[in-house]
Each structure stands twice: as structure tokens, then as C-alpha cells.
Amino acid sequence: MSKKEQKITVTIDDIKRDNQEMTSVMVGKNEIGLIVEDSDKKRFEATVTETGQSIITKTHDDAVNELLREYHLHQG
């Protein structure tokens, strides 16, 4: 049997916390992670909110995809 497909809402917002610009990635009402750009090294650091795990990527889109991948990996 296959599971019924569920629709989820993913929201990506630019925010400012602790005087630093970052991107918040939310699924529904839950924040799953934050993305910070390191312009000196030309990379992005995605931090998973639940575990605090950091993921370094080359593009913003890759950072969003990695956060979503981690979120879906650990869903029950």
C-alpha cells in the first residue's frame, strides 16, 4: 500500500537575528533551519534547528535542499 500524498507548506524568509542577516526555512509553523551566507569564503552554512548540525554548501538552493532533506529524513 502506498501512503496518501500530503501537501506541506515550505516558507523561506529573509530575517535579521542578532544583527545578522539570515534565511529562515519553515515547514508549516515549525522552523527547521537557518541559512547564513559567508561572503568571504563564498559559501552558505545551513544549521538544522532541532539538532544544531551545520551543513556547508556552495549555493543558497543547496542549503535549502539540505535542510529539507534532513527534515524529511528524521520525520516519523
Side-chain angles (χ1 to χ4, degrees):
M1 292 180 110
S2 63
K3 290 184 178 181
K4 183 178 178 184
E5 202 171 299
Q6 294 180 348
K7 293 184 181 185
I8 60 170
T9 303
V10 177
T11 307
I12 301 171
D13 291 320
D14 292 329
I15 61 171
K16 189 171 189 175
R17 285 192 191 160
D18 302 324
N19 293 325
Q20 186 175 14
E21 297 288 329
M22 58 185 68
T23 303
S24 171
V25 180
M26 299 180 72
V27 173
K29 295 182 181 180
N30 300 322
E31 182 177 76
I32 62 168
L34 297 169
I35 302 169
V36 178
E37 181 180 6
D38 184 354
S39 57
D40 294 337
K41 296 182 180 178
K42 297 180 182 176
R43 65 182 189 178
F44 294 85
E45 180 179 0
T47 304
V48 180
T49 302
E50 190 173 299
T51 63
Q53 175 186 1
S54 291
I55 304 165
I56 305 297
T57 63
K58 291 183 179 181
T59 67
H60 189 270
D61 289 343
D62 287 345
V64 171
N65 288 331
E66 288 296 327
L67 287 174
L68 291 172
R69 185 176 296 136
E70 284 295 316
Y71 173 77
H72 287 293
L73 180 66
H74 298 290
Q75 287 298 303

